[in-house]
Amino acid sequence: MTLKKAASVILFLFISTGCSSQQELPEQETNPDAEESTPEENQAPENPQASSNNRRDDAALSVQTIASNLDVPWSIQTYEGEFYVTERNGTIAHIDENDSIERQQLSLNEDVAAQGEGGLLGFQLAPDFGDSQRAYIYHTYEQNHSLANRIVSITLENGTWHEEEILLEDIPGARIHNGGRLKIGPDDRLYATAGDAGTENQAQQLENLGGSILRMTLDGDIPEDNPIADSYIYSYGHRNPQGISWNEEGVLFSSEHGSSAHDEINQIKPGKNYGWPDITGDESQDGMRPPLSHSGNDTWAPSGTAFDGTNDFYVTGLRGTQLMRFHVEEETMEVVYSGEGRLRDVLIAGDSMYVVTNNRDGRGNPDEEDDQLLKLEHFEEHVE
Ligand SMILES: [Ca+2]
């Protein structure tokens, strides 16, 4: 494990309250060959100044490299001190307690189509993973010469993950805007974020799963208490949501890529319409919910998220190349960490926070060690 130079990062933070007993909810574009230019991820990084942070328990962070040379990592999961990280081209990196990496293959009935921003994206270990060795994945695949996304359960056997059951197929897909985050909520339902797949109006169509946050049972059925009868749609009017997390009171929040700017933080309520493509930024319209916060003319390109407690919502930034913290009650956004390039996902486990870089996703400037899984924690407590 390398203790990175503290000077290389912007420091502050954080998890002094300890992570509640809540289960770690695992928390999520870019491509060299993407023909479509997605403005949110494709432009040169901005370098917003870290806001000065005078909040309570802030302290310097130590930053440790847990794993290097990852291949466009997308989702982080942890189980008993080990990590499982999906890689967009279709492998899962298993990192053991000694930080050694084993690349696990997938045996699926449909190949992972790692085209544009698509590929192997969301990942969630089953609640009984220790016994069942089961997990859920969200991945892009080819269907009738076009792209779509599917959610399947997989089980780990002798280092290979085998497809078990299809939970949901035909989620709209494309080289851009595939959404892709998967998480089990405090209600034991599986939630997935689906993008508009580049067809904006899909987000307003209730007969179409694109541009929505979806909710299903762990068997892939539509729960009886879903807000729209016989529909997986939990909320809609989203452009390209890539992060969802619940706070310790069970309230769901999301991150969403806006169109060239106006990236969003939303509080998600069942059955509600979040406006894309009809409203963006501060615009309003009857029956549509505006975001809690948006990036204005700046771009965060927000992806994976994690909650600490009730108010601290952590959001990774791709083009923004930083970890941000949205304070729910104060509705403020501040930068808490930067310096390692594009960040795709964040996970809070115990007293530590983990992020993965995405400098090899085709829009970054990778160095030799990229991409990396990094551990952030209080510096004072971990000086070697
Ligand atoms: Ca919106």
Short mmCIF file of all heavy atoms in Angstrom, two decimals, residues 92 104-109 132-137 150 152-165:
data_model
loop_
_atom_site.label_atom_id
_atom_site.label_comp_id
_atom_site.label_asym_id
_atom_site.label_seq_id
_atom_site.Cartn_x
_atom_site.Cartn_y
_atom_site.Cartn_z
N ILE A 92 -14.38 -8.12 -13.59
CA ILE A 92 -14.53 -7.65 -12.21
C ILE A 92 -13.18 -7.85 -11.53
O ILE A 92 -12.63 -8.95 -11.51
CB ILE A 92 -15.64 -8.42 -11.49
CG1 ILE A 92 -16.99 -8.07 -12.13
CG2 ILE A 92 -15.64 -8.09 -10.00
CD1 ILE A 92 -18.18 -8.83 -11.57
N GLN A 104 -11.52 -11.24 -12.49
CA GLN A 104 -12.52 -12.29 -12.63
C GLN A 104 -13.31 -12.08 -13.91
O GLN A 104 -13.72 -10.97 -14.23
CB GLN A 104 -13.44 -12.29 -11.41
CG GLN A 104 -12.66 -12.54 -10.12
CD GLN A 104 -13.51 -12.42 -8.88
OE1 GLN A 104 -14.47 -11.67 -8.83
NE2 GLN A 104 -13.14 -13.16 -7.83
N GLN A 105 -13.54 -13.17 -14.65
CA GLN A 105 -14.25 -13.10 -15.91
C GLN A 105 -15.75 -13.30 -15.69
O GLN A 105 -16.17 -13.86 -14.67
CB GLN A 105 -13.74 -14.16 -16.89
CG GLN A 105 -12.24 -14.09 -17.14
CD GLN A 105 -11.79 -12.77 -17.76
OE1 GLN A 105 -12.42 -12.28 -18.71
NE2 GLN A 105 -10.72 -12.19 -17.23
N LEU A 106 -16.51 -12.87 -16.66
CA LEU A 106 -17.96 -13.06 -16.63
C LEU A 106 -18.35 -14.06 -17.71
O LEU A 106 -17.87 -13.98 -18.84
CB LEU A 106 -18.68 -11.74 -16.92
CG LEU A 106 -18.61 -10.63 -15.89
CD1 LEU A 106 -19.24 -9.37 -16.47
CD2 LEU A 106 -19.33 -11.02 -14.62
N SER A 107 -19.23 -14.99 -17.35
CA SER A 107 -19.78 -15.90 -18.34
C SER A 107 -21.27 -15.57 -18.47
O SER A 107 -22.08 -15.93 -17.62
CB SER A 107 -19.60 -17.34 -17.86
OG SER A 107 -20.25 -18.23 -18.74
N LEU A 108 -21.60 -14.82 -19.53
CA LEU A 108 -22.96 -14.29 -19.69
C LEU A 108 -23.60 -14.83 -20.97
O LEU A 108 -22.90 -15.23 -21.90
CB LEU A 108 -22.92 -12.76 -19.76
CG LEU A 108 -22.28 -12.03 -18.58
CD1 LEU A 108 -22.22 -10.52 -18.87
CD2 LEU A 108 -23.09 -12.28 -17.29
N ASN A 109 -24.90 -14.79 -21.01
CA ASN A 109 -25.62 -15.22 -22.22
C ASN A 109 -25.64 -14.15 -23.30
O ASN A 109 -25.98 -14.41 -24.45
CB ASN A 109 -27.04 -15.65 -21.87
CG ASN A 109 -27.05 -16.85 -20.94
OD1 ASN A 109 -26.12 -17.67 -20.98
ND2 ASN A 109 -28.06 -16.96 -20.10
N SER A 132 -24.51 -16.97 -0.67
CA SER A 132 -25.00 -17.24 -2.02
C SER A 132 -23.98 -16.97 -3.11
O SER A 132 -24.12 -17.48 -4.23
CB SER A 132 -26.23 -16.37 -2.30
OG SER A 132 -25.85 -15.00 -2.40
N GLN A 133 -22.95 -16.13 -2.81
CA GLN A 133 -21.97 -15.71 -3.84
C GLN A 133 -22.66 -15.02 -5.02
O GLN A 133 -22.16 -15.04 -6.14
CB GLN A 133 -21.14 -16.91 -4.34
CG GLN A 133 -20.30 -17.57 -3.25
CD GLN A 133 -19.13 -16.67 -2.83
OE1 GLN A 133 -18.14 -16.56 -3.52
NE2 GLN A 133 -19.27 -16.01 -1.67
N ARG A 134 -23.82 -14.41 -4.72
CA ARG A 134 -24.61 -13.79 -5.79
C ARG A 134 -24.37 -12.28 -5.84
O ARG A 134 -24.12 -11.63 -4.80
CB ARG A 134 -26.09 -14.06 -5.57
CG ARG A 134 -27.02 -13.45 -6.64
CD ARG A 134 -28.49 -13.76 -6.38
NE ARG A 134 -28.72 -15.19 -6.44
CZ ARG A 134 -29.13 -15.94 -5.41
NH1 ARG A 134 -29.37 -15.39 -4.24
NH2 ARG A 134 -29.31 -17.24 -5.55
N ALA A 135 -24.47 -11.73 -7.04
CA ALA A 135 -24.41 -10.28 -7.22
C ALA A 135 -25.31 -9.91 -8.39
O ALA A 135 -25.84 -10.79 -9.09
CB ALA A 135 -22.98 -9.82 -7.50
N TYR A 136 -25.52 -8.63 -8.59
CA TYR A 136 -26.33 -8.11 -9.68
C TYR A 136 -25.46 -7.16 -10.50
O TYR A 136 -24.69 -6.39 -9.94
CB TYR A 136 -27.56 -7.37 -9.14
CG TYR A 136 -28.39 -8.22 -8.21
CD1 TYR A 136 -28.13 -8.23 -6.84
CD2 TYR A 136 -29.39 -9.07 -8.69
CE1 TYR A 136 -28.85 -9.05 -5.98
CE2 TYR A 136 -30.11 -9.89 -7.85
CZ TYR A 136 -29.83 -9.88 -6.48
OH TYR A 136 -30.54 -10.70 -5.64
N ILE A 137 -25.63 -7.23 -11.82
CA ILE A 137 -24.88 -6.30 -12.70
C ILE A 137 -25.84 -5.63 -13.68
O ILE A 137 -26.90 -6.16 -14.01
CB ILE A 137 -23.76 -7.00 -13.51
CG1 ILE A 137 -24.30 -8.17 -14.33
CG2 ILE A 137 -22.63 -7.43 -12.59
CD1 ILE A 137 -23.29 -8.74 -15.33
N ARG A 150 -29.15 -4.42 -19.77
CA ARG A 150 -29.89 -5.44 -19.03
C ARG A 150 -29.33 -5.57 -17.62
O ARG A 150 -28.17 -5.20 -17.37
CB ARG A 150 -29.84 -6.78 -19.77
CG ARG A 150 -28.46 -7.39 -19.85
CD ARG A 150 -28.32 -8.35 -21.03
NE ARG A 150 -28.94 -9.65 -20.83
CZ ARG A 150 -28.30 -10.74 -20.40
NH1 ARG A 150 -27.01 -10.70 -20.09
NH2 ARG A 150 -28.92 -11.89 -20.28
N VAL A 152 -28.85 -8.48 -14.72
CA VAL A 152 -28.89 -9.92 -14.46
C VAL A 152 -28.23 -10.22 -13.13
O VAL A 152 -27.39 -9.46 -12.64
CB VAL A 152 -28.18 -10.73 -15.59
CG1 VAL A 152 -28.86 -10.52 -16.93
CG2 VAL A 152 -26.70 -10.39 -15.68
N SER A 153 -28.62 -11.35 -12.54
CA SER A 153 -27.90 -11.83 -11.36
C SER A 153 -26.81 -12.78 -11.83
O SER A 153 -26.95 -13.47 -12.85
CB SER A 153 -28.85 -12.52 -10.38
OG SER A 153 -29.47 -13.63 -10.97
N ILE A 154 -25.72 -12.78 -11.09
CA ILE A 154 -24.57 -13.62 -11.42
C ILE A 154 -24.07 -14.26 -10.13
O ILE A 154 -24.25 -13.71 -9.05
CB ILE A 154 -23.42 -12.81 -12.08
CG1 ILE A 154 -23.04 -11.59 -11.20
CG2 ILE A 154 -23.82 -12.34 -13.47
CD1 ILE A 154 -21.85 -10.78 -11.74
N THR A 155 -23.48 -15.44 -10.25
CA THR A 155 -22.90 -16.08 -9.07
C THR A 155 -21.43 -16.42 -9.33
O THR A 155 -21.05 -16.78 -10.45
CB THR A 155 -23.66 -17.36 -8.67
OG1 THR A 155 -23.81 -18.18 -9.82
CG2 THR A 155 -25.03 -17.02 -8.12
N LEU A 156 -20.65 -16.30 -8.27
CA LEU A 156 -19.20 -16.50 -8.36
C LEU A 156 -18.86 -17.95 -8.03
O LEU A 156 -19.25 -18.46 -6.98
CB LEU A 156 -18.51 -15.55 -7.37
CG LEU A 156 -16.99 -15.61 -7.29
CD1 LEU A 156 -16.34 -15.25 -8.62
CD2 LEU A 156 -16.49 -14.68 -6.17
N GLU A 157 -18.16 -18.57 -8.97
CA GLU A 157 -17.74 -19.95 -8.75
C GLU A 157 -16.34 -20.14 -9.32
O GLU A 157 -16.12 -19.91 -10.51
CB GLU A 157 -18.74 -20.90 -9.43
CG GLU A 157 -18.54 -22.35 -9.06
CD GLU A 157 -19.56 -23.26 -9.75
OE1 GLU A 157 -20.57 -22.76 -10.26
OE2 GLU A 157 -19.29 -24.47 -9.79
N ASN A 158 -15.42 -20.51 -8.48
CA ASN A 158 -14.02 -20.72 -8.90
C ASN A 158 -13.47 -19.54 -9.69
O ASN A 158 -12.79 -19.70 -10.70
CB ASN A 158 -13.90 -22.00 -9.75
CG ASN A 158 -14.30 -23.23 -8.96
OD1 ASN A 158 -14.04 -23.31 -7.76
ND2 ASN A 158 -14.95 -24.18 -9.62
N GLY A 159 -13.78 -18.35 -9.21
CA GLY A 159 -13.17 -17.16 -9.81
C GLY A 159 -13.85 -16.65 -11.06
O GLY A 159 -13.37 -15.70 -11.67
N THR A 160 -14.95 -17.29 -11.48
CA THR A 160 -15.70 -16.80 -12.64
C THR A 160 -17.14 -16.54 -12.23
O THR A 160 -17.73 -17.30 -11.46
CB THR A 160 -15.69 -17.84 -13.79
OG1 THR A 160 -14.33 -18.06 -14.19
CG2 THR A 160 -16.49 -17.35 -15.00
N TRP A 161 -17.69 -15.47 -12.74
CA TRP A 161 -19.08 -15.12 -12.46
C TRP A 161 -19.97 -15.66 -13.58
O TRP A 161 -19.75 -15.35 -14.75
CB TRP A 161 -19.24 -13.61 -12.39
CG TRP A 161 -18.53 -12.95 -11.25
CD1 TRP A 161 -17.24 -12.51 -11.24
CD2 TRP A 161 -19.07 -12.64 -9.96
NE1 TRP A 161 -16.94 -11.93 -10.02
CE2 TRP A 161 -18.05 -12.00 -9.22
CE3 TRP A 161 -20.32 -12.83 -9.36
CZ2 TRP A 161 -18.24 -11.55 -7.91
CZ3 TRP A 161 -20.51 -12.37 -8.05
CH2 TRP A 161 -19.48 -11.75 -7.34
N HIS A 162 -20.96 -16.45 -13.20
CA HIS A 162 -21.86 -17.05 -14.19
C HIS A 162 -23.25 -16.41 -14.11
O HIS A 162 -23.77 -16.20 -13.01
CB HIS A 162 -22.00 -18.55 -13.92
CG HIS A 162 -20.69 -19.29 -14.07
ND1 HIS A 162 -20.27 -19.81 -15.27
CD2 HIS A 162 -19.71 -19.54 -13.17
CE1 HIS A 162 -19.08 -20.38 -15.10
NE2 HIS A 162 -18.71 -20.24 -13.83
N GLU A 163 -23.81 -16.17 -15.29
CA GLU A 163 -25.17 -15.60 -15.31
C GLU A 163 -26.15 -16.58 -14.69
O GLU A 163 -26.13 -17.78 -14.95
CB GLU A 163 -25.59 -15.29 -16.75
CG GLU A 163 -27.00 -14.72 -16.83
CD GLU A 163 -27.32 -14.13 -18.19
OE1 GLU A 163 -26.38 -13.65 -18.87
OE2 GLU A 163 -28.50 -14.14 -18.58
N GLU A 164 -27.02 -16.03 -13.86
CA GLU A 164 -28.01 -16.86 -13.20
C GLU A 164 -29.40 -16.55 -13.75
O GLU A 164 -30.02 -17.36 -14.41
CB GLU A 164 -27.94 -16.58 -11.70
CG GLU A 164 -28.72 -17.54 -10.85
CD GLU A 164 -28.56 -17.18 -9.37
OE1 GLU A 164 -28.82 -16.01 -9.00
OE2 GLU A 164 -28.20 -18.08 -8.60
N GLU A 165 -29.86 -15.33 -13.51
CA GLU A 165 -31.22 -14.97 -13.94
C GLU A 165 -31.23 -13.59 -14.57
O GLU A 165 -30.48 -12.71 -14.17
CB GLU A 165 -32.14 -14.87 -12.72
CG GLU A 165 -32.82 -16.15 -12.32
CD GLU A 165 -33.84 -15.85 -11.22
OE1 GLU A 165 -33.44 -15.79 -10.05
OE2 GLU A 165 -35.01 -15.63 -11.55
#
